[in-house]
């Protein structure tokens, strides 16, 4: 998933690109997402369990 893939999210919710970047960075820091520097894309190492 690349940042531009999330454009519909922030455009439809009146959120900003900066919000999306900050949120993705937090998810990477928490270990929920990974980030591939070479491909410049976010990765989900595991599919989360849903209750």
């Amino acid at each position: 998933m690349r940042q531009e893939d999330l454009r519909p999210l922030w455009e439809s919710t009146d959120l900003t690109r900066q919000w999306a970047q900050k949120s993705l960075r937090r998810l990477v820091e928490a270990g929920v997402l990974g980030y591939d520097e070479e491909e410049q894309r976010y990765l989900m190492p595991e599919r989360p369990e849903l209750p």
Side-chain angles (χ1 to χ4, degrees):
M1 161 178 44
R2 298 183 193 276
Q3 275 189 25
E4 58 266 12
D5 295 339
L6 298 174
R7 181 176 302 220
L9 171 67
W10 72 71
E11 287 179 348
S12 66
T13 58
D14 268 345
L15 299 171
T16 63
R17 180 178 178 210
Q18 292 78 15
W19 170 86
Q21 289 173 324
K22 184 177 180 181
S23 298
L24 289 169
R25 193 170 31 253
R26 284 180 167 170
L27 290 170
V28 169
E29 290 170 359
V32 176
L33 293 178
Y35 187 74
D36 183 337
E37 292 285 341
E38 188 174 308
E39 295 287 326
Q40 295 186 351
R41 63 187 305 161
Y42 293 92
L43 307 168
M44 186 176 289
E46 295 181 18
R47 187 175 187 96
E49 291 286 327
L50 298 176

PDB file of all heavy atoms in Angstrom, residues 4-17:
ATOM      1  N   GLU A   4      -0.422   7.231  -1.687  1.00  0.00           N
ATOM      2  CA  GLU A   4      -1.439   7.720  -2.618  1.00  0.00           C
ATOM      3  C   GLU A   4      -2.646   6.792  -2.688  1.00  0.00           C
ATOM      4  O   GLU A   4      -3.736   7.212  -3.063  1.00  0.00           O
ATOM      5  CB  GLU A   4      -0.855   7.975  -4.007  1.00  0.00           C
ATOM      6  CG  GLU A   4      -0.217   6.776  -4.649  1.00  0.00           C
ATOM      7  CD  GLU A   4       1.288   6.686  -4.411  1.00  0.00           C
ATOM      8  OE1 GLU A   4       1.840   7.413  -3.580  1.00  0.00           O
ATOM      9  OE2 GLU A   4       1.906   5.839  -5.072  1.00  0.00           O
ATOM     10  N   ASP A   5      -2.473   5.530  -2.278  1.00  0.00           N
ATOM     11  CA  ASP A   5      -3.603   4.601  -2.230  1.00  0.00           C
ATOM     12  C   ASP A   5      -4.638   5.034  -1.191  1.00  0.00           C
ATOM     13  O   ASP A   5      -5.794   4.620  -1.257  1.00  0.00           O
ATOM     14  CB  ASP A   5      -3.136   3.183  -1.889  1.00  0.00           C
ATOM     15  CG  ASP A   5      -2.242   2.586  -2.966  1.00  0.00           C
ATOM     16  OD1 ASP A   5      -2.294   3.054  -4.124  1.00  0.00           O
ATOM     17  OD2 ASP A   5      -1.487   1.657  -2.640  1.00  0.00           O
ATOM     18  N   LEU A   6      -4.202   5.843  -0.220  1.00  0.00           N
ATOM     19  CA  LEU A   6      -5.098   6.294   0.845  1.00  0.00           C
ATOM     20  C   LEU A   6      -5.769   7.623   0.550  1.00  0.00           C
ATOM     21  O   LEU A   6      -6.542   8.120   1.360  1.00  0.00           O
ATOM     22  CB  LEU A   6      -4.323   6.388   2.164  1.00  0.00           C
ATOM     23  CG  LEU A   6      -3.764   5.068   2.655  1.00  0.00           C
ATOM     24  CD1 LEU A   6      -2.889   5.296   3.870  1.00  0.00           C
ATOM     25  CD2 LEU A   6      -4.880   4.111   2.983  1.00  0.00           C
ATOM     26  N   ARG A   7      -5.496   8.201  -0.598  1.00  0.00           N
ATOM     27  CA  ARG A   7      -6.080   9.497  -0.952  1.00  0.00           C
ATOM     28  C   ARG A   7      -7.603   9.520  -0.789  1.00  0.00           C
ATOM     29  O   ARG A   7      -8.148  10.454  -0.203  1.00  0.00           O
ATOM     30  CB  ARG A   7      -5.692   9.910  -2.358  1.00  0.00           C
ATOM     31  CG  ARG A   7      -6.261  11.273  -2.744  1.00  0.00           C
ATOM     32  CD  ARG A   7      -5.766  11.676  -4.082  1.00  0.00           C
ATOM     33  NE  ARG A   7      -4.320  11.682  -3.981  1.00  0.00           N
ATOM     34  CZ  ARG A   7      -3.537  12.572  -4.518  1.00  0.00           C
ATOM     35  NH1 ARG A   7      -4.049  13.516  -5.244  1.00  0.00           N
ATOM     36  NH2 ARG A   7      -2.243  12.526  -4.375  1.00  0.00           N
ATOM     37  N   PRO A   8      -8.335   8.514  -1.261  1.00  0.00           N
ATOM     38  CA  PRO A   8      -9.792   8.541  -1.076  1.00  0.00           C
ATOM     39  C   PRO A   8     -10.199   8.622   0.393  1.00  0.00           C
ATOM     40  O   PRO A   8     -11.202   9.246   0.730  1.00  0.00           O
ATOM     41  CB  PRO A   8     -10.276   7.231  -1.703  1.00  0.00           C
ATOM     42  CG  PRO A   8      -9.209   6.870  -2.684  1.00  0.00           C
ATOM     43  CD  PRO A   8      -7.924   7.363  -2.075  1.00  0.00           C
ATOM     44  N   LEU A   9      -9.407   8.015   1.285  1.00  0.00           N
ATOM     45  CA  LEU A   9      -9.711   8.060   2.708  1.00  0.00           C
ATOM     46  C   LEU A   9      -9.656   9.487   3.229  1.00  0.00           C
ATOM     47  O   LEU A   9     -10.606   9.982   3.810  1.00  0.00           O
ATOM     48  CB  LEU A   9      -8.731   7.178   3.497  1.00  0.00           C
ATOM     49  CG  LEU A   9      -8.819   7.303   5.011  1.00  0.00           C
ATOM     50  CD1 LEU A   9     -10.140   6.751   5.510  1.00  0.00           C
ATOM     51  CD2 LEU A   9      -7.649   6.626   5.671  1.00  0.00           C
ATOM     52  N   TRP A  10      -8.533  10.170   3.021  1.00  0.00           N
ATOM     53  CA  TRP A  10      -8.448  11.506   3.609  1.00  0.00           C
ATOM     54  C   TRP A  10      -9.290  12.524   2.861  1.00  0.00           C
ATOM     55  O   TRP A  10      -9.763  13.480   3.448  1.00  0.00           O
ATOM     56  CB  TRP A  10      -7.006  11.964   3.836  1.00  0.00           C
ATOM     57  CG  TRP A  10      -6.162  12.333   2.663  1.00  0.00           C
ATOM     58  CD1 TRP A  10      -6.290  13.443   1.879  1.00  0.00           C
ATOM     59  CD2 TRP A  10      -5.038  11.640   2.166  1.00  0.00           C
ATOM     60  NE1 TRP A  10      -5.316  13.458   0.927  1.00  0.00           N
ATOM     61  CE2 TRP A  10      -4.522  12.372   1.079  1.00  0.00           C
ATOM     62  CE3 TRP A  10      -4.399  10.471   2.534  1.00  0.00           C
ATOM     63  CZ2 TRP A  10      -3.409  11.966   0.361  1.00  0.00           C
ATOM     64  CZ3 TRP A  10      -3.289  10.079   1.813  1.00  0.00           C
ATOM     65  CH2 TRP A  10      -2.807  10.807   0.744  1.00  0.00           C
ATOM     66  N   GLU A  11      -9.553  12.315   1.577  1.00  0.00           N
ATOM     67  CA  GLU A  11     -10.419  13.251   0.859  1.00  0.00           C
ATOM     68  C   GLU A  11     -11.879  13.094   1.270  1.00  0.00           C
ATOM     69  O   GLU A  11     -12.615  14.068   1.338  1.00  0.00           O
ATOM     70  CB  GLU A  11     -10.261  13.063  -0.648  1.00  0.00           C
ATOM     71  CG  GLU A  11      -8.950  13.608  -1.164  1.00  0.00           C
ATOM     72  CD  GLU A  11      -8.773  13.409  -2.648  1.00  0.00           C
ATOM     73  OE1 GLU A  11      -9.553  12.653  -3.279  1.00  0.00           O
ATOM     74  OE2 GLU A  11      -7.828  14.013  -3.199  1.00  0.00           O
ATOM     75  N   SER A  12     -12.312  11.869   1.545  1.00  0.00           N
ATOM     76  CA  SER A  12     -13.721  11.649   1.879  1.00  0.00           C
ATOM     77  C   SER A  12     -14.025  11.918   3.348  1.00  0.00           C
ATOM     78  O   SER A  12     -15.182  12.015   3.721  1.00  0.00           O
ATOM     79  CB  SER A  12     -14.129  10.214   1.520  1.00  0.00           C
ATOM     80  OG  SER A  12     -13.436   9.293   2.329  1.00  0.00           O
ATOM     81  N   THR A  13     -12.991  12.037   4.165  1.00  0.00           N
ATOM     82  CA  THR A  13     -13.216  12.257   5.595  1.00  0.00           C
ATOM     83  C   THR A  13     -12.786  13.644   6.060  1.00  0.00           C
ATOM     84  O   THR A  13     -12.800  13.935   7.244  1.00  0.00           O
ATOM     85  CB  THR A  13     -12.459  11.209   6.435  1.00  0.00           C
ATOM     86  OG1 THR A  13     -11.071  11.290   6.115  1.00  0.00           O
ATOM     87  CG2 THR A  13     -12.980   9.820   6.188  1.00  0.00           C
ATOM     88  N   ASP A  14     -12.379  14.504   5.131  1.00  0.00           N
ATOM     89  CA  ASP A  14     -11.887  15.843   5.471  1.00  0.00           C
ATOM     90  C   ASP A  14     -10.637  15.797   6.337  1.00  0.00           C
ATOM     91  O   ASP A  14     -10.385  16.710   7.119  1.00  0.00           O
ATOM     92  CB  ASP A  14     -12.960  16.689   6.166  1.00  0.00           C
ATOM     93  CG  ASP A  14     -13.758  17.522   5.181  1.00  0.00           C
ATOM     94  OD1 ASP A  14     -13.304  17.671   4.029  1.00  0.00           O
ATOM     95  OD2 ASP A  14     -14.818  18.014   5.570  1.00  0.00           O
ATOM     96  N   LEU A  15      -9.874  14.734   6.235  1.00  0.00           N
ATOM     97  CA  LEU A  15      -8.599  14.642   6.922  1.00  0.00           C
ATOM     98  C   LEU A  15      -7.510  15.059   5.939  1.00  0.00           C
ATOM     99  O   LEU A  15      -7.757  15.222   4.750  1.00  0.00           O
ATOM    100  CB  LEU A  15      -8.374  13.223   7.442  1.00  0.00           C
ATOM    101  CG  LEU A  15      -9.426  12.759   8.452  1.00  0.00           C
ATOM    102  CD1 LEU A  15      -9.265  11.289   8.752  1.00  0.00           C
ATOM    103  CD2 LEU A  15      -9.343  13.570   9.730  1.00  0.00           C
ATOM    104  N   THR A  16      -6.298  15.227   6.415  1.00  0.00           N
ATOM    105  CA  THR A  16      -5.222  15.706   5.557  1.00  0.00           C
ATOM    106  C   THR A  16      -4.215  14.603   5.263  1.00  0.00           C
ATOM    107  O   THR A  16      -4.166  13.582   5.936  1.00  0.00           O
ATOM    108  CB  THR A  16      -4.478  16.868   6.232  1.00  0.00           C
ATOM    109  OG1 THR A  16      -3.860  16.374   7.431  1.00  0.00           O
ATOM    110  CG2 THR A  16      -5.420  18.017   6.567  1.00  0.00           C
ATOM    111  N   ARG A  17      -3.399  14.864   4.282  1.00  0.00           N
ATOM    112  CA  ARG A  17      -2.309  13.946   3.956  1.00  0.00           C
ATOM    113  C   ARG A  17      -1.371  13.824   5.158  1.00  0.00           C
ATOM    114  O   ARG A  17      -0.860  12.748   5.459  1.00  0.00           O
ATOM    115  CB  ARG A  17      -1.565  14.459   2.733  1.00  0.00           C
ATOM    116  CG  ARG A  17      -0.426  13.579   2.327  1.00  0.00           C
ATOM    117  CD  ARG A  17       0.226  14.116   1.074  1.00  0.00           C
ATOM    118  NE  ARG A  17       1.358  13.268   0.754  1.00  0.00           N
ATOM    119  CZ  ARG A  17       2.436  13.688   0.138  1.00  0.00           C
ATOM    120  NH1 ARG A  17       2.536  14.939  -0.241  1.00  0.00           N
ATOM    121  NH2 ARG A  17       3.413  12.871  -0.110  1.00  0.00           N
TER     122      ARG A  17
END
